[in-house]
Amino acid sequence: MAHKPRLLIVEDEAVIRSGLVDVFVYHGYEVDTAEHGEDGLHKALSGRYDMILLDVMLPGIDGFEICSRIRQQDRQQPVIMLTAKSADEDIVQGLTLGADDYVAKPFSVTQLVLRVQAVLRRAGIGDKPEREIRLANGVVADTENLCAGDTAFTRREMDLLVYLAQHSDRPVPREELLARVWGYANHLEIETRTVDIHVAKLRRKIEADPTEPSALVTVRGAGYRLLVADT
Ligand code: CA
């Protein structure tokens, strides 16, 4: 990864702000915050953030004004507005002023993280995978050409492998894989099986003996873990 995605959270409610900081730090973001409109505007215009989460109701300058000032300066800056619950006018105004997306309060944190990732992906920022993934069993996967030697991967299989590689320090639960690789926020039993099916397909491609995995292992009760080569 080139760098951690840099996130600015402009939110005056301390509980929401600190909750968001925890979640995004956990997901690997570098997070900065502002509580007041003036401070938010000043930081937002610094140009150092990959993504700005912007509350609408702020002391001082409100989120709409900040958003339109950002747009006057930088048409590309990703911005997601945090709007009041079901305030349709807020949503329309925010999007008219150039926000990339909005999330209505009270929001699901999972949903918000997925929205941020989607906007960053569209902007071509963030979780760029390494060109190669070197597995503990000697297999080397080429993430650009979707192959390992002569073995071809589907895009989904490679996305799964990349996500596991980026979190190879721990087992990854099926629900997290569904949310982060497939984008499903609310999982059903049938959907968690989707993960198992793809893991089985991947194992046939990267394991000498798929029944005795040496790289993509099952951690009972915790999920799947990818063992990568020491670098
Ligand atoms: Ca507020």
Side-chain angles (χ1 to χ4, degrees), residues 73-90:
Q73 176 180 299
D74 180 357
R75 300 188 59 78
Q76 307 298 324
Q77 171 71 58
V79 177
I80 293 180
M81 306 282 301
L82 308 176
T83 70
K85 185 186 176 190
S86 68
D88 294 345
E89 288 173 20
D90 282 6

Side-chain angles (χ1 to χ4, degrees), residues 11-13 55 57 105:
E11 167 63 78
D12 58 317
E13 285 174 66
D55 185 29
M57 298 299 290
K105 292 178 179 179

Side-chain angles (χ1 to χ4, degrees), residues 20-206:
L20 290 175
V21 170
D22 289 349
V23 166
F24 282 99
V25 167
Y26 172 79
H27 283 284
Y29 290 73
E30 190 183 309
V31 182
D32 199 359
T33 61
E35 301 172 38
H36 303 285
E38 284 82 1
D39 188 31
L41 176 63
H42 180 73
K43 286 181 173 165
L45 294 180
S46 70
R48 68 176 302 271
Y49 302 101
D50 297 310
M51 166 66 70
I52 298 171
L53 294 185
L54 195 51
D55 185 29
V56 173
M57 298 299 290
L58 292 164
I61 305 168
D62 73 18
F64 293 136
E65 174 70 19
I66 295 173
C67 186
S68 82
R69 297 277 295 274
I70 293 169
R71 277 291 165 269
Q72 285 167 20
Q73 176 180 299
D74 180 357
R75 300 188 59 78
Q76 307 298 324
Q77 171 71 58
V79 177
I80 293 180
M81 306 282 301
L82 308 176
T83 70
K85 185 186 176 190
S86 68
D88 294 345
E89 288 173 20
D90 282 6
I91 293 167
V92 170
Q93 190 174 355
L95 294 177
T96 305
L97 289 171
D100 296 277
D101 204 349
Y102 66 88
V103 175
K105 292 178 179 179
F107 47 76
S108 136
V109 166
T110 308
Q111 193 67 251
L112 178 60
V113 172
L114 293 173
R115 295 281 183 88
V116 167
Q117 289 167 342
V119 171
L120 286 177
R121 260 201 308 276
R122 289 205 295 274
I125 296 165
D127 289 3
K128 285 251 173 58
E130 300 289 338
R131 174 71 199 265
E132 285 182 346
I133 298 172
R134 294 179 171 275
L135 306 182
N137 64 3
V139 169
V140 179
D142 178 334
T143 63
E144 283 181 20
N145 296 311
L146 306 184
C147 64
D150 293 335
T151 306
F153 294 75
T154 64
R155 166 57 64 187
R156 186 75 77 187
E157 289 165 352
M158 186 58 80
D159 287 350
L160 178 59
L161 196 67
V162 165
Y163 191 82
L164 288 166
Q166 288 172 337
H167 302 85
S168 60
D169 55 328
R170 61 178 172 88
V172 183
R174 290 178 176 80
E175 291 76 9
E176 180 179 336
L177 291 169
L178 264 183
R180 304 298 300 279
V181 178
W182 277 263
Y184 295 165
N186 299 308
H187 59 86
L188 303 167
E189 181 65 22
I190 191 166
E191 290 172 342
T192 44
R193 282 211 298 277
T194 301
V195 176
D196 302 336
I197 290 164
H198 279 80
V199 165
K201 286 162 70 178
L202 257 183
R203 279 178 173 154
R204 287 199 287 276
K205 297 181 177 184
I206 62 174

